[in-house]
Amino acid sequence: DIVMTQTPLSLSVTPGQPASISCKSSQSLLHSDGKTYLYWYLQKPGQSPQLLIYEVSNRFSGVPDRFSGSGSGTDFTLKISRVEAEDVGVYYCMQSIQLPLIFGQGTKLEIK
Amino acid sequence: EVQLVESGGGLVKPGGSLRLSCAASGFTFSSYSMNWVRQAPGKGLEWVSSISSSSSYIYYADSVKGRFTISRDNAKNSLYLQMNSLRAEDTAVYYCARNRGLRDYMDVWGKGTTVTVSS
């Protein structure tokens, strides 16, 4: 199975400051079809997960442009340019290049 | 409005069975693959099972293989998860989520239904 490792597991950010979350996979997520099957989800407190980023760097519909994703192969990063109070929750990366689908452990973002 | 609504959760004894349902509305259910993802109390997300749009392809996590059965009824816009031989470690909130294809992003999630396995 692919292992997805997120760092840090928690971070506390002052509103208006940037935040960055790393996700590393134990195998390349680049498929022969040219797509890289890495997604980012946010689970706000008491809610179900919501999609933020698909295929490394594509913002899903309605996701603010302060969220951005980057990376390739096995190393990926989610960045929030200016954290807002509504960004609190747990962020998960997920791979779907092979089964089983695996989520990272999650990174809990709190506001200072 | 695109919506997924899970039901069927509850308290069950170890070794017991439960059938979860996920009712879809607001989109062409038969065009989407569907998934079950669970979250144990205070833990992260764990993929459980996936089924393709026409039920041709079905996959399970090793942790539930042989005990859980995913199915769907496109005429009823419904997804199911039959859970047998339940264990304490199956205690979790179970979410259904859709995606276009089995590798694609899950863009719509239900609010979840809680399963508690305890004596």
Side-chain angles (χ1 to χ4, degrees):
Chain A
D1 296 358
I2 291 177
V3 177
M4 304 293 286
T5 303
Q6 287 183 231
T7 54
L9 297 183
S10 67
L11 69 166
S12 182
V13 183
T14 301
Q17 293 301 301
S20 180
I21 300 170
S22 170
C23 175
K24 296 184 189 297
S25 59
S26 59
Q27 300 176 36
S28 176
L29 303 186
L30 174 62
H31 193 268
S32 56
D33 64 9
K35 296 181 181 179
T36 301
Y37 289 96
L38 185 281
Y39 308 107
W40 290 98
Y41 293 89
L42 165 60
Q43 187 174 31
K44 294 184 178 182
Q47 297 186 18
S48 31
Q50 58 188 80
L51 177 67
L52 293 176
I53 302 287
Y54 64 95
E55 293 167 21
V56 180
S57 59
N58 298 284
R59 269 188 308 275
F60 186 59
S61 174
V63 174
D65 61 7
R66 63 179 181 275
F67 289 93
S68 64
S70 63
S72 64
T74 61
D75 287 0
F76 307 95
T77 302
L78 176 71
K79 292 183 179 177
I80 311 172
S81 59
R82 296 173 304 279
V83 170
E84 297 187 6
E86 66 178 24
D87 300 336
V88 296
V90 181
Y91 291 79
Y92 296 93
C93 58
M94 192 204 88
Q95 70 81 22
S96 65
I97 193 171
Q98 69 175 233
L99 294 174
L101 305 183
I102 298 289
F103 292 88
Q105 319 96 299
T107 296
K108 186 173 185 178
L109 173 67
E110 65 171 25
I111 300 297
K112 279 185 183 174
Chain B
E1 180 193 4
V2 174
Q3 201 171 8
L4 296 171
V5 179
E6 302 92 338
S7 61
L11 174 62
V12 61
K13 289 181 167 53
S17 298
L18 215 51
R19 189 193 196 208
L20 306 185
S21 299
C22 171
S25 59
F27 65 99
T28 305
F29 180 71
S30 59
S31 296
Y32 287 81
S33 296
M34 295 297 297
N35 309 269
W36 289 101
V37 175
R38 68 184 180 184
Q39 186 169 37
K43 302 297 184 182
L45 301 170
E46 180 189 15
W47 169 76
V48 173
S49 182
S50 299
I51 185 169
S52 62
S53 57
S54 60
S55 304
S56 298
Y57 300 97
I58 288 176
Y59 305 100
Y60 299 99
D62 284 348
S63 57
V64 306
K65 201 173 294 182
R67 300 187 299 122
F68 289 11
T69 301
I70 191 172
S71 62
R72 64 190 295 161
D73 185 335
N74 287 345
K76 294 184 177 179
N77 292 335
S78 292
L79 173 73
Y80 306 102
L81 186 67
Q82 177 67 43
M83 303 187 296
N84 299 329
S85 303
L86 282 162
R87 306 166 179 167
E89 53 265 36
D90 296 317
T91 294
V93 175
Y94 285 74
Y95 298 100
C96 62
R98 75 171 194 182
N99 50 0
R100 274 289 185 185
L102 292 172
R103 281 200 180 91
D104 294 330
Y105 51 78
M106 300 180 206
D107 64 341
V108 178
W109 296 63
K111 294 189 187 316
T113 186
T114 300
V115 173
T116 303
V117 184
S118 174
S119 54

